[in-house]
Amino acid sequence: MRRNRLGKSGVRVTELGFGGGPLGGLFAPLDDETAARTLEAAWDSGIRYFDTSPHYGIGHSERRIGGLLRDKPRDEATLSTKVGRLLVPQDPAGRMDEAFAVPATHRRVWDFSRDGVLRSVEDSLERMGVDRIDLLLLHDAEEHFEDALSEGLPALAELRAQGVVGAIGAGMYHPGKLARLVQESDVDVVMLSGRYTLLDQSALNELLPACVDRGVSVLAASIFDSGLLATGRPSEGATFDYAPAAPQMIERAHRIADVCDAHGVTLPALAMAFPLLHPAVSGIVVGMRTAEEVRRNIAAFATEIPNRIWDDLRAEGLLDERAPVQA
């Protein structure tokens, strides 16, 4: 699988990356055996970029991805995790975590301070059982942006200068704040959640031009818009942006699927291909929870997309005219 470099760093990622959110029990519980088979299927398929976070299942995702990488040639893999939430042990008292389907053994404490970043990295390395992190990202800093920019980012830069991590950046859904980060700092990459997809191209306004100008790479996450684009047709109860999809978004997805049908490709295949056509995008990150999902996504990723499909989408008013459509 093709690998691309992140910004000016020496870190490279496979164009299809493994998103670790589902390994933490996102939306539904996931047992260790299923998680292990999923990760092995991803490795066997050629995926070598694995993204996780302490937030995902309050440590479950990190432990599971670390378990895979401890048994593989470490230099072949690229690993990213995130900072901004410290995990503090607590008595679950029979409760489940509020965000993931795991027992509430820890609580999250927001902390973008230097000490918080360093402690988070140390905790993540211990949970994963690995000796290094290749890419470190500020995570979900929208409501803590000034602290993340003034305190967290210099801590990340310090770790990069020391060689503890190879590349730094931030993962958020707010393209405007990520654009400011790109314009005001020396990051290598941003991970953008759900704002450069077939249904939302708002990153074209500020963020993507800024990344091209500054030589900053983009990793496009949530490219299926948290479910709406994950199947050939939107299923009943489909979600968009982690909430029930509005009727107009479901109708738009169906209209895009109509164009896909006319060209003999699937909606997920088109959703995976689209972001990678932009020169700033180095890779896409797709959450996967079963080996079958991995195999299905690999097949979609390998689909050859006819160029005329982009013209038809534009003719139907379904694609921003500014979006690049030539590889």
Side-chain angles (χ1 to χ4, degrees), residues 86-110:
L86 292 173
L87 303 183
V88 179
Q90 66 178 6
D91 181 357
R95 293 176 291 113
M96 298 295 284
D97 181 62
E98 68 274 12
F100 292 80
V102 296
T105 56
H106 293 72
R107 60 186 177 89
R108 300 167 181 81
V109 177
W110 289 102

Side-chain angles (χ1 to χ4, degrees), residues 92-208:
R95 293 176 291 113
M96 298 295 284
D97 181 62
E98 68 274 12
F100 292 80
V102 296
T105 56
H106 293 72
R107 60 186 177 89
R108 300 167 181 81
V109 177
W110 289 102
D111 193 337
F112 287 98
S113 69
R114 179 181 181 275
D115 287 348
V117 167
L118 298 181
R119 179 180 162 189
S120 184
V121 169
E122 183 178 351
D123 289 348
S124 289
L125 289 170
E126 182 176 353
R127 271 191 297 271
M128 292 187 286
V130 297
D131 61 356
R132 74 176 189 276
I133 296 163
D134 301 298
L135 167 61
L136 190 62
L137 300 166
L138 302 168
H139 196 196
D140 292 343
E142 283 85 353
E143 303 303 320
H144 309 268
F145 189 70
E146 297 304 329
D147 288 342
L149 196 62
S150 63
E151 299 183 49
L153 194 58
L156 265 60
E158 180 182 335
L159 291 170
R160 182 179 59 184
Q162 294 170 350
V164 176
V165 299
I168 62 171
M172 293 191 284
Y173 64 83
H174 195 296
K177 289 183 176 178
L178 282 175
R180 181 181 163 197
L181 183 82
V182 167
Q183 292 160 346
E184 297 183 8
S185 68
D186 182 28
V187 294
D188 303 293
V189 60
V190 294
M191 182 178 287
L192 176 65
S193 178
R195 297 298 180 265
Y196 195 59
T197 73
L198 289 175
L199 293 172
D200 185 335
Q201 291 126 49
S202 55
L204 287 166
N205 296 331
E206 295 180 80
L207 177 60
L208 291 174

Side-chain angles (χ1 to χ4, degrees), residues 18 34-35 37-42 45 230 287-300:
F18 185 98
T34 300
R37 286 199 302 266
T38 303
L39 286 164
E40 286 290 347
S45 75
M288 307 181 219
R289 64 185 296 116
T290 66
E292 177 54 35
E293 277 189 18
V294 172
R295 288 187 284 269
R296 190 164 60 243
N297 285 327
I298 288 292

